[in-house]
Amino acid sequence: MNNVMAFFKKEFKSFFISPIAYVFITVYLVVTNFLFFQGFFIINQADMRGYFSLLPWVFLFFVPAITMRSWAEEKKVHTLELLLTWPVSDIEVVLGKFLACFCFLTTAILLSITIPITIVAMGNPDMGPIVGGYLGAILMGAAYLAIGLWVSSNTENQIIAFILGVVATFILFMIGNPFVTMVAPKWMVPIFGYIGLGNHFESIQRGVVDSRDVIYYLSIVGFFLFLNVQSLGSRKWE
Amino acid sequence: MSSTNAPFMLEVNNLNKKFGDVHAVRNLNFQIRKGEIFGFLGPNGAGKTTTMRMVTCFIPPTSGSIRIDGHDTATDSLSVRRKIGYLPENNPIYNDMTVEEYLKFVAEIRGMKGDRQTSRIRELFAICGLTKTADRQIGKLSKGYRQRAGLAQAMMHDPDLLILDEPMSGLDPNQIIEIRNLIKKMGQEKTVIYCSHILSEVSATCDRILIINDGQLVASGTPEELTSRSARGNRYIVRVKTDRNDAEAAFRSIPGVSSVAITAVADQWLSAEVVVADREDIGESIFKCVVDKGWSLSELKHEAASLEEVFTQLTRG
């Protein structure tokens, strides 16, 4: 556990050493606020449904940007060789990196607190869906992060890690989307619907926190972190 | 400090590593005793780094076993990694951290906390000459200082086995002397493996040397044992004023001489290369011979066989 904390601290700090973190958070907030408030006054309803329905799409690009560096950089500058010869288990390093990315993304998500504050000031929103929406966003973000980290562990090129991260999360997101489920064979529809990254988010953001949805996201996280440990274990590079 | 009956720190048995069709390490066998400074020599691409990566548990061997202080790298990798301090080739390092942050991070990984951590880091700053650069970002330091930070990382937990892969690259001559002394000091109590292709470095520092080429062991022994293997042996360069045939005949008659070659003639001066089969000192005999003949002598120089020659013989062709 000490090792997990050591890696967590190092990784989390490294976000803020360079300007990347500040640029990321600023752009994230500006983009989501702009897209949300564009429609907010037209619809003229005091809720955040518009905001949360943006997130699965926004995360497609923002989350791989957080994770692309994690492993690709370690491999590129060969610090991975150092790291894996220290007395730490692969799982500890993977968890440390995941937690750092998770806390960073959560920080960015929670900084959009100005939106609910604005809405409360202007109307009388139902707080259930808003709290649920934030919880769902954090869970969904965690799933995206785990996928992005795994992709990053398979390349030493950050750009490739980013693009493949977008592609991987996009596929897993689209699988459950009506676009796909409408044309997919009948028997596959419930499976696709269950696997799809976005579907569980929709039910949480209605304010219904169902344990099945929480379990879904946690198992996606667990599965991809497991793959991440595996790809470290294989040491195929070089 | 290497004693011939100290227990083994490292035992490598029938080690093999294949990358696809490339057989990078073949049937490597060697042992290193505790307290030795062990030189691991070979031309670039000979398999030095691959071997070290297997010893440090970074990659698994294709076959064979490695034991460090009795712990097998395959089954007890965490214990092995606790015993080892490793400075990989090209010193990979987190460039965005400051030297102090980096060493604190490494100390945490090595399980050091609080006062023990602070005092150890301060100690390493002093040993490696990093005190002035503690707050600087590693990426902005010169190569020599980055190398020192890497060395401090490897020595953090005062490891039983310190493995240095090309530790001198990028250092200036003064720094090389400092680091060499540091390695020698470490080697008084601990075991050090020193990989390099810089021969003078290795022969100046190491108790025992192993030369590998093309993934295979080609020679091992003390630097003296290895140099005595040189085909060219010990040589004396003599410059005398006399006739070519006279000189050749006279030098050849000295006991212990295996061959004489005249290498240059200028005016009446000629240079002869007198080769001795053993490590015998025949300087005096040569001098007496020259005096007896009444020749003028302008040069008499002893050239010991060098590790370079042995290395070239063993690793070429």
Side-chain angles (χ1 to χ4, degrees):
Chain A
M1 206 54 214
N2 282 331
N3 291 334
V4 176
M5 280 315 290
F7 275 97
F8 166 75
K9 274 194 284 182
K10 175 199 158 283
E11 293 285 321
F12 193 69
K13 251 196 238 166
S14 83
F15 279 120
F16 292 94
I17 289 172
S18 62
I20 300 172
Y22 305 101
V23 172
F24 177 89
I25 290 176
T26 310
V27 173
Y28 171 78
L29 291 176
V30 168
V31 167
T32 50
N33 275 279
F34 172 75
L35 289 174
F36 172 62
F37 281 110
Q38 218 182 12
F40 178 68
F41 293 108
I42 301 167
I43 300 166
N44 205 16
Q45 275 184 347
D47 63 27
M48 284 183 74
R49 203 179 298 158
Y51 179 78
F52 289 121
S53 62
L54 284 172
L55 287 187
W57 298 96
V58 173
F59 279 6
L60 280 182
F61 295 94
F62 276 89
V63 172
I66 298 176
T67 55
M68 64 180 187
R69 207 172 139 270
S70 298
W71 292 111
E73 180 79 0
E74 300 260 13
K75 280 158 87 174
K76 182 148 197 181
V77 299
H78 297 279
T79 42
L80 193 69
E81 179 171 355
L82 199 61
L83 192 163
L84 295 176
T85 54
W86 281 332
V88 289
S89 65
D90 295 358
I91 301 169
E92 289 172 324
V93 191
V94 169
L95 279 180
K97 277 188 185 271
F98 173 74
L99 285 179
C101 292
F102 179 71
C103 286
F104 180 70
L105 181 68
T106 306
T107 309
I109 292 173
L110 292 184
L111 280 174
S112 68
I113 193 87
T114 49
I115 296 176
I117 290 172
T118 312
I119 295 175
V120 169
M122 290 193 296
N124 192 11
D126 180 358
M127 288 313 283
I130 292 179
V131 173
Y134 273 106
L135 181 68
I138 289 167
L139 281 170
M140 183 175 63
Y144 277 57
L145 284 172
I147 298 169
L149 277 173
W150 170 68
V151 170
S152 178
S153 74
N154 286 295
T155 173
E156 56 177 60
N157 185 321
Q158 291 189 32
I159 309 294
I160 290 177
F162 174 74
I163 294 169
L164 291 183
V166 174
V167 170
T169 41
F170 182 70
I171 290 172
L172 216 51
F173 173 65
M174 281 312 281
I175 262 182
N177 198 283
F179 284 118
V180 175
T181 46
M182 263 162 60
V183 293
K186 273 253 153 41
W187 61 273
M188 288 175 91
V189 172
I191 301 172
F192 278 9
Y194 183 76
I195 294 175
L197 270 177
N199 300 9
H200 300 269
F201 180 55
E202 271 161 33
S203 47
I204 296 180
Q205 61 152 306
R206 281 199 295 267
V208 190
V209 181
D210 188 333
S211 61
R212 275 178 305 176
D213 300 323
V214 176
I215 288 168
Y216 164 81
Y217 282 122
L218 293 182
S219 43
I220 289 280
V221 170
F223 178 67
F224 281 96
L225 291 186
F226 169 76
L227 288 186
N228 197 334
V229 173
Q230 293 304 305
S231 69
L232 280 192
S234 75
R235 318 263 160 94
K236 274 186 184 147
W237 44 83
E238 273 193 285
Chain B
M1 282 281 285
S2 74
S3 70
T4 42
N5 48 18
F8 289 130
M9 186 69 217
L10 173 70
E11 297 160 85
V12 170
N13 294 312
N14 290 318
L15 190 68
N16 276 284
K17 182 71 190 178
K18 285 181 193 164
F19 296 105
D21 294 338
V22 183
H23 209 153
V25 173
R26 307 169 197 226
N27 281 325
L28 205 56
N29 283 290
F30 64 91
Q31 290 85 30
I32 301 177
R33 291 185 187 277
K34 284 187 182 167
E36 271 186 321
I37 303 183
F38 190 84
F40 203 63
L41 273 177
N44 288 325
K48 298 189 294 286
T49 297
T50 306
T51 308
M52 289 309 120
R53 284 181 173 167
M54 288 189 277
V55 170
T56 55
C57 312
F58 179 60
I59 49 173
T62 307
S63 68
S65 73
I66 304 167
R67 291 169 76 80
I68 286 159
D69 207 6
H71 300 278
D72 197 306
T73 53
T75 54
D76 202 0
S77 133
L78 277 179
S79 315
V80 167
R81 287 187 269 167
R82 272 189 204 106
K83 289 190 174 290
I84 289 179
Y86 180 36
L87 176 63
E89 199 183 13
N90 300 325
N91 183 27
I93 199 161
Y94 294 106
N95 284 316
D96 54 1
M97 301 172 103
T98 67
V99 176
E100 193 168 5
E101 280 171 348
Y102 179 60
L103 292 185
K104 272 188 180 160
F105 170 59
V106 174
E108 252 175 81
I109 296 291
R110 294 291 182 186
M112 287 181 209
K113 279 185 192 145
D115 289 348
R116 194 161 148 248
Q117 188 192 86
T118 328
S119 66
R120 179 61 183 159
I121 290 175
R122 206 172 300 142
E123 203 179 343
L124 282 170
F125 277 159
I127 294 174
C128 302
L130 284 163
T131 316
K132 277 186 234 160
T133 50
D135 302 327
R136 302 263 307 273
Q137 217 183 332
I138 294 174
K140 289 181 180 155
L141 292 173
S142 70
K143 204 171 174 194
Y145 279 104
R146 252 183 291 160
Q147 198 75 16
R148 291 173 193 216
L151 207 59
Q153 172 275 126
M155 302 195 330
M156 177 58 75
H157 53 304
D158 202 12
D160 291 335
L161 176 60
L162 182 66
I163 300 178
L164 307 170
D165 199 345
E166 304 280 2
M168 302 301 190
S169 63
L171 300 184
D172 67 36
N174 293 332
Q175 294 168 335
I176 288 181
I177 294 170
E178 278 173 35
I179 304 286
R180 188 195 293 157
N181 290 335
L182 199 64
I183 293 174
K184 280 190 171 163
K185 212 167 127 201
M186 282 284 298
Q188 285 172 359
E189 293 153 36
K190 308 287 176 173
T191 316
V192 182
I193 301 180
Y194 181 173
C195 297
S196 181
H197 59 261
I198 305 166
L199 299 152
S200 55
E201 241 343 288
V202 173
S203 56
T205 326
C206 299
D207 302 320
R208 222 149 59 80
I209 293 173
L210 180 145
I211 301 179
I212 68 167
N213 187 33
D214 208 11
Q216 279 168 308
L217 188 150
V218 287
S220 73
T222 63
E224 293 76 28
E225 279 166 13
L226 288 179
T227 46
S228 68
R229 285 203 194 187
S230 168
R232 290 179 71 190
N234 264 327
R235 293 191 299 283
Y236 289 84
I237 309 293
V238 195
R239 193 153 174 266
V240 287
K241 201 178 199 177
T242 182
D243 182 67
R244 188 184 184 111
N245 294 336
D246 285 356
E248 250 182 288
F251 292 143
R252 199 157 281 159
S253 66
I254 298 171
V257 171
S258 67
S259 74
V260 177
I262 306 299
T263 51
V265 185
D267 296 329
Q268 288 163 306
W269 289 99
L270 55 88
S271 296
E273 194 184 75
V274 182
V275 180
V276 192
D278 294 322
R279 307 185 57 76
E280 221 173 319
D281 184 357
I282 60 156
E284 200 182 351
S285 320
I286 294 177
F287 180 71
K288 277 187 176 153
C289 166
V290 173
V291 172
D292 285 348
K293 301 276 184 189
W295 298 333
S296 304
L297 177 73
S298 73
E299 188 183 354
L300 174 58
K301 190 169 72 178
H302 175 224
E303 272 187 2
S306 69
L307 202 54
E308 266 90 355
E309 287 168 12
V310 183
F311 183 78
T312 323
Q313 276 168 35
L314 291 170
T315 58
R316 201 179 271 171

